[in-house]
Amino acid sequence: MNIFVNEKNKQFHLTNGKISYIFNVLKNGSLGHLYFGKAMKNRDDFSHFIRIDIPTAASCHFYQDDPAFSLETVNHEYPVYGKGDFRDAAIELETTDGRIGNGFVYKGFEVSLGKPKFNGLPATYANEKEASTLTIQLVDEDIQTNLYLSYTIFLNHPVITRSVKVENVSTDNLYIKKLMSSSIDFPDSDYKMVHLAGTWSRERHIEAHDLRQGIQSIASIRGASSHHHNPFMALKRKTTTEHEDEVYGFNFVYSSNFLAQVEVDHYEVARVMVGIHPHQFRWKLATNECFQAPEVVMVYSDEGLNGMSQSFHNLYRDHLIRDLWKKVERPILINNWEATYFDFDEEKLVGIAESASELGIELFVLDDGWFGKRNDDTSSLGDWYEDKEKLPNGLQVLAKKVTDLGMQFGLWFEPEMINPSSQLYQSHPEWVIGRQGEHLTFGRNQLVLDFSREEVVQYLFEKMKDIIIKTKLSYIKWDMNRNITDAFSAALKIDQQGEFFHRYILGVYALYEKLTNEFPNVLFESCAGGGGRFDPGMFYYAPQAWTSDNTDAVERLKIQYGTSLVYPIYSMGSHVSASPNHQTLRTTSLETRANTAYFGTFGYELNPLELNEEERSIIKDQIKHYKTYRSLVRDGDFYRLQSPFEENETAWMIVSKDKKEALVGYYKVLTTPNSKKQQILSLKGLDDDILYTIEGTEQSFHGDELMYRGLPLSIEFNGVNSNKAERSGDYQSLVYFLKGN
């Protein structure tokens, strides 16, 4: 058991030797936050952690006879508004007669082994030997509502997960207007806020700034976690680096509208809250109904940002990705999209598959354009049957021709979308989001199906199920190419329209749940116009995601580096695409494109029929090499060594858990004449005493040499040493495979 409860002092301490999380019941029955950070020994009483300051004349004290007790100067665990704390509240409720629900007081607790499953929501999971869960019950007798705060601590991870459930036990309806999944008051604000920002084709770039007084936040109200702000935020000390000092990370296991914010008050307390965005959120809760909020994953690291990242990676590999995909080798795939776009037929596709098979590629994926009358992006979404003009023999014959080559067969779907010209729209216009008869906003020439309707989810399940069975499908790329506008469901009552966004994503999760339960051996890769829904909610169902539509090897350095702050390397779809690149028109070598793509779920996005013999030989070698170390990419510890956001060079590496193998990537974007930097790269995570041999060379170095002196890089052209130079020009890259002896 990792949970200590002092019932006399009403204090709770969650610890596992890596972290401690401590809170208590305050004098007024609400919860106070005491500590979150490096593990502490348990003791009988943590009352000396309680902050009670005499409030100023401008403050409000809770009790007339105790001016020292003010909710304005207390560190809270789950704050409400209206009782003296004027900062943002974690919860806003409303009864039919206008009461706001701010009288929650402690009722009791329950400790259980393992982690309960959330009905209808993705979440981390653990058995009785892997985690313990503390549930606190708070009650507001005035509005007859129960509030359950859930805390799970894992045996082997410096992680706490938090979530909230509301139960209406009154005889009238209750409306939830705001429900954050977690809230913590940090006793000071001497931090930098780190988050991942961007847009389509440049997702998850790292941003950081000092905390300041007031509210700073990241959010999405797009109906998706978005390209623009990932549902991740961290607070790091100003002295924190990649590998040293403190950082706290917060990641929301949710794929729709979210809010993550830090409020710094006039006492320099930093309040961190994460949850469903309250914008246009209003959930009607009838008598005896419950609402379960998604969970927040909270990580503490005293080993810098990289330590935080490894904790997220390990947790998600062990306790979020479904069991089947934890140790399965993901197939090296080829996707026909950039090879053909919409212009293909069976003969062309089979030719690509045959050529790819000869190269050693294991999975052929047919992308957009195989259904309805889909010759461009203006038609046929919703009509999930093969286009007989392109595929006169049908998908089943094409799939068999591919599998007869010894390859797996995969398909692209965009199940959440519909074109107005489709047969489905003509049959069911009411299935589209938005008010019928009013102007509807388009995105990529398409509208959005109403996934808050169970009949829509069931219809798509039956259509996809039929195709999966007919083609013996091994892989699905699930795309979602536009965000939600005109947020209205004809199936919901007027007083329930505030439920739409959450009901929509529950419908998406429901379809994933149906498909993954029915077809557990089908590999799902999530996609949302590239990386527009790259979040832990998706990883519960799809163990990998298309990282970005931008496949340019240079741009991918920043995208994959930023993504690695939170998400495992083996969750990133990373492909070698054609050159010049279709998104940037930049020309890079096959070597550099592969050297970037190796650090992910490796694949190709080009036409193998257009390759010359030299290029085919290079690709065969790339595939052979990746197959030798893809289990290392899947299971190893990732270390960021040099940041593309800070300099012209990028470096990273993966080290096996037993430290006997390592894969190192080094990249230099622009050449520098007569470089003043020494051509060495300091590595991380190795064993001091192991002798490592560099694959393909006779060089050997002990781990301590490689970490404290550095790995000697191949000789760079300096303007006069062309007879010795091993690399030169722009867009350089090197990959080293280290094997311990």
Side-chain angles (χ1 to χ4, degrees), residues 418-420 439-447 482 485-486:
I418 191 169
N419 292 117
H439 173 79
L440 298 181
T441 308
F442 282 82
R444 203 182 181 234
N445 301 301
Q446 60 201 48
L447 300 173
R482 64 154 293 181
T485 55
D486 310 298

Side-chain angles (χ1 to χ4, degrees), residues 207-243:
E207 301 284 347
H209 60 78
D210 291 350
L211 290 185
R212 61 189 184 277
Q213 194 168 112
I215 293 176
Q216 39 255 277
S217 67
I218 56 170
S220 173
I221 54 173
R222 295 170 173 267
S225 48
S226 87
H227 300 83
H228 309 84
H229 291 294
N230 194 263
F232 157 80
M233 177 177 65
L235 296 186
K236 70 170 185 175
R237 291 298 185 185
K238 295 175 182 178
T239 54
T240 298
T241 65
E242 276 288 2
H243 304 285

